[in-house]
Structures are given as C-alpha cells and as structure tokens.
Amino acid sequence: IPVEPFDLVIFGGTGDLARRKILPGLYRRLADGQMPPEARVIGAARSDMDDAAFRALVGEALEEFLPDNAKDPERIAEFLELLSYVRVDATGEDGWAALKEHIREGTVHAFYFSVGPSLFGPIAERLKSQGIADDKSRIVVEKPFGKDLQTARALNESLACHFDETQIYRIDHYLGKETVQNLMAVRFGNMLFEPLWNSRYVDHIQITVAETVGVGGRGEYYDRSGAMRDMVQNHLLQLLCLIAMEPPGRFEDESVRDEKLKVIRALKPVAPEDIVRGQYADGDEPGYKSAVNNPSSKTESFIALRLGIANWRWSGTPFYLRTGKRLKARASEIAVVFKDAPHSIFDGPPGQSNVLSIRLQPNEGMEMVVTIKEPGPGGMRLIQVPLDMSFADALGEQAEDIPDAYERLIMDVIRGNQTLFMRGDEVEAAWAWTDPVIEGWEDRGATPSPYEQGSTGPEEALMLLHQDGRRWREIK
Ligand code: BG6
C-alpha cells in the first residue's frame, strides 16, 4: 500500500549511513510500489554539489550496496529522478532558504538527522527558526543518542525546544528487524507461549548478538563507546524489553513504549561478578588496540552480562546478554530456555530442556527444541529435535522479500507510527541503568580480557554461565 506523498530531507545525505542504508532502503520501497511517484528525497550536506552530482553519487551507492537481484535499471532511473540536493551549513546560515524552497505544501515533511549528535540541536533550531518545519513535521534521529544520561537528557531538551515528542523518531534499527517484530507476534498472537512466559517455567534467557566484523573505520567513535554503549544500551536492551515486557493493551506507540520503559526501570543494578569484558587480540586482522590506534585502550569489544529484573514475572530468572566483534560467526539470537520437566517417568537420561530460539540474523526464523521418542524398537529413548521454522522454508518467496530494518522504519515515519521508535524517557532510563555499570568498571580500573579473533569471546564469559550450572548456546 503506497504511503502518502512526502518530502524527506536527509541531513548527512552524502554520508555513510545514507549511502549504505537509507537511500538503498528508499529505492527498495519504490521498487516495491510503496513510495508514491510524488515523493521527493532531498539530500542536504556540507559538500558543494548539484542535483546531477548527488544523483550520480546515489547511483553508485545503489550499485555498491544493493544485491544484484534488486537492481532494476528502469526503477533506479525513476528513483534518481526523485532526488535533489541542497548545500546546507548545519551550524551557519547558508542554504536554509534554498532548502525551504524544496518543501512543498500538502505533503508529509520528514527530516532525517543522519549526522553526529552535536548537530541535532543546531539543525532542529534552524528548521524551526527558518520556518522550514512546522508542528506536523517529523524528525528522525540516529544513535548514538548521547553517551550517558546527562548528554542524552541535554539532547532530549534541545530537541524538545523545537519539536513535540510525537514528532521525534529516535531510531534503533534493531526494532525494525523483521524477526524482532515477529517476536511480538509470537508472544502476543499465540496462546501457547504467554502462560509459560515467566520465572515459574522459564529457566533463563540468552540474548546473543555476535559479529565477525571488527571496528572497521570507526575506531575513534568505537573506542569512546565500547560494546556497552554501542550495542547493549540500545539494541540488546530493546530486545530484552520485548522479551520481558507485559502484554501491552494494544500494539501502538504509547502502550508498547510504556511497557518497555517499565522493564528498563525494573532492571537490577549489575554487580562486578555479573560482567565479563573482552578485547580482541592480534590475529588475522590487527587486534583491537591497533584497530583503534590506542595502545593503552581499556575499551571492550566484547561484553557478557548476567542481568536480573525485579518484578513478579521475572524474579529469579537470569537474563544473559553477550555481544562482541571479531567473533566466530555473525549470529544473533534470543533463546528462551525452559525449565526441566519436574519429574521424569522414563528410565534412562531425562530429556533436555525445551528451548525457543528466535534467530534474528542470518537465516531469520524460529526453532523450538522439543523432546520426543527416538523412533525404532529400542525402547523409550528420549531425544531432542528441533521444530524448525526458518522463514525461507515456511514462506518461500515471501521470505526473500524481508525488508531491511531501515526500509520499514522510514515508511513508519511517513505513516506517523512511532511504535518501533524509542521515546525520550526510554532512552534516558536506559542510560540511567547503563551509567553506573560503566562507572563501576572505570572506578575499578578494570581492563578487558584479551580474546582470540574468530572465537566466542574470553573464557570468563563461559564461566559466567558455568557458575550457574548453565551453558551458552553455540554461536553458529
Ligand atoms: C550498530 C553498531 O548500531 O549496529 C555497530 O554501531 C554494529 O557497531 C551494528 O555493527 C550491527 O547492526 P546489524 O544490523 O548488522 O546487526
């Protein structure tokens, strides 16, 4: 279903995120028939270039970042036609009048801040003072949304001077991932799981986001952030919220975000023994310290945490989170591990626990491990088999069209649907929980343990679960 005609301005329109994700995502929506022909996309950045040069740059980005089967020359030409470019000085006065000329009456107006957070305030201020945005316009802001509670609060305040909360779309692209949304469909669209979804039946929960990439060209940013700020404060906490939250009254922005906020506020403080930090050593690629060009860096490129949620539903259920770079495989999954059956009526070794695992990437899908009888005459021998539902198998061609997170989220902005975006109070609550964890290890002067590239992280991360008589699921 096509969305309403819109004017989308992308600040940082020539930057990495725009080229890699935002523009290819918009193209795919056009190719899929969702973007109306009246839509306009306006790149805004510091560089001096005209429309033709911008279109050429976007054409090259599509060539580089789209899979071959998504490239249709006719549709690409159609898409490039919708683009224009304005040179704007985000902190000065140049270009704003020209930008205003591009914004038409009667369309949805969205402004995507694909720029560093220091420019959020100045751009928001100019959009309003120059009469470019009004009280129906939408602004989209990217992470990092601050580096601690204080900076996040300052950013919220600077945006709130010019825009109402209902106009602000804070992106966490994990919320746009198809399987993440499916998590809500599974929890709240079926009767099967919800009655068991609590500390009485769930033994523990594991959330893993493993990456094979290193810090790449983002060393400077990453060394200031580390895995805790870069991944846990936002993506992993959001996943945890969706797993742990109470059923919202409706699948709509305020209900969902209210429930997520309650989870963040119920997170227990984290003790030093609940944290394992790691840093990848020299290997096939230069090690972390060389990659960020800081021989004395104490920043973690891996973190594992044992968390608890202080509420009735989850009292006593550990949530184990881990994420890291240069690991064995790119694999993200959430696993809900159920308790053992209370009593075995069979001779021989008991069956193992049921596990519901939700694979975020790659091979999006879900798997439920259940105990059955091993076929054959050998008596009642129990084995574990997966009831596997990979989207590719179950949905065939439909699964090939799973939209990228950014496609979905940008269209939600145009539709005015904030459900999959973070509210200001949620981001602040996440920082309020994160800050003391980071301050704790900084005060202790803790250094991360080195780990081998291509491994599953430092040994100590295995111990975190072994101590509790549990084990991590395999990263594969
Ligand atoms: C980003 C982080 O938010 O998410 C990156 O800044 C990380 O460090 C990326 O690599 C992972 O996203 P995805 O979608 O590839 O899992």
Side-chain angles (χ1 to χ4, degrees), residues 143 173-174 177 211 218 230-231 235 325 330 361:
K143 65 168 278 227
H173 78 282
Y174 267 58
K177 288 187 191 275
E211 297 186 279
R218 303 155 74 223
D230 185 50
M231 296 294 287
H235 307 323
K325 300 211 180 274
R330 176 170 189 254
Q361 59 200 24

Side-chain angles (χ1 to χ4, degrees), residues 112-398:
Y112 199 125
F113 295 17
S114 178
V115 292
S118 61
L119 295 180
F120 291 177
I123 294 178
E125 193 274 317
R126 282 165 181 75
L127 283 175
K128 274 321 251 308
S129 64
Q130 303 274 342
I132 301 170
D134 60 23
D135 56 10
K136 290 210 275 305
S137 308
R138 290 153 205 174
I139 61 169
V140 185
V141 292
E142 270 292 335
K143 65 168 278 227
F145 199 82
K147 61 177 175 60
D148 52 21
L149 176 58
Q150 199 191 345
T151 49
R153 204 174 262 161
L155 284 175
N156 275 336
E157 280 165 9
S158 71
L159 295 178
C161 293
H162 310 288
F163 294 94
D164 185 71
E165 181 63 32
T166 55
Q167 298 179 275
I168 305 173
Y169 292 72
R170 293 177 197 78
I171 288 221
D172 184 312
H173 78 282
Y174 267 58
L175 293 178
K177 288 187 191 275
E178 191 69 16
T179 11
V180 174
Q181 296 168 58
N182 209 4
L183 178 58
M184 285 186 274
V186 167
R187 276 197 66 189
F188 305 123
N190 294 292
M191 189 56 201
L192 199 57
F193 302 108
E194 203 46 31
L196 306 179
W197 211 262
N198 55 55
S199 58
R200 215 166 142 197
Y201 300 103
V202 174
D203 179 70
H204 72 279
I205 288 170
Q206 299 187 13
I207 304 179
T208 298
V209 177
E211 297 186 279
T212 50
V213 291
V215 292
R218 303 155 74 223
E220 208 188 306
Y221 152 77
Y222 196 90
D223 203 38
R224 275 183 278 117
S225 310
M228 185 72 180
R229 289 192 175 95
D230 185 50
M231 296 294 287
V232 177
Q233 185 272 345
N234 39 78
H235 307 323
L236 276 83
L237 272 195
Q238 288 293 320
L239 298 179
L240 177 137
C241 283
L242 298 181
I243 285 279
M245 72 183 183
E246 295 302 313
R250 283 180 57 76
F251 185 62
E252 48 102 71
D253 43 15
E254 298 310 337
S255 315
V256 171
R257 299 189 297 178
D258 286 347
E259 294 308 335
K260 287 197 294 167
L261 180 62
K262 288 184 207 159
V263 174
I264 301 175
R265 291 198 171 143
L267 281 173
K268 291 193 187 169
V270 187
E273 60 272 21
D274 296 330
I275 310 170
V276 174
R277 294 162 69 235
Q279 202 182 63
Y280 63 83
D282 284 331
D284 291 348
E285 281 183 18
Y288 177 82
K289 289 190 174 75
S290 324
V292 300
N293 204 9
N294 177 5
S296 58
S297 173
K298 288 185 181 176
T299 303
E300 76 286 353
S301 59
F302 173 97
I303 189 164
L305 295 155
R306 174 173 37 215
L307 306 185
I309 299 178
N311 65 19
W312 273 47
R313 187 188 282 261
W314 295 117
S315 177
T317 309
F319 285 70
Y320 301 99
L321 273 51
R322 66 178 161 169
T323 181
K325 300 211 180 274
R326 292 300 290 143
L327 296 179
K328 192 175 160 202
R330 176 170 189 254
S332 303
E333 84 158 19
I334 300 169
V336 181
V337 181
F338 290 90
K339 290 191 171 164
D340 292 340
H343 162 73
S344 176
I345 63 168
F346 306 108
D347 292 337
Q352 285 165 7
S353 345
N354 297 125
V355 180
L356 173 68
S357 75
I358 299 140
R359 277 195 308 272
L360 303 185
Q361 59 200 24
N363 313 326
E364 292 90 342
M366 254 175 257
E367 188 185 87
M368 179 86 205
V369 176
V370 293
T371 299
I372 61 161
K373 176 189 172 300
E374 187 176 42
M380 201 49 145
R381 290 164 62 105
L382 303 184
I383 53 167
Q384 254 66 43
V385 291
L387 293 180
D388 195 350
M389 198 198 87
S390 88
F391 289 175
D393 294 344
L395 304 173
E397 274 179 19
Q398 238 179 309

Side-chain angles (χ1 to χ4, degrees), residues 20 33 38 49 78 82 91 101 110 172 176 235 246 276 278 322 358 417 434 440 456 465:
R20 224 174 249 281
E38 303 85 6
M49 65 170 86
E78 219 176 290
L82 309 181
T91 52
E101 307 265 295
D172 184 312
H235 307 323
E246 295 302 313
V276 174
R322 66 178 161 169
I358 299 140
N417 184 346
T434 309
T456 58
L465 270 77

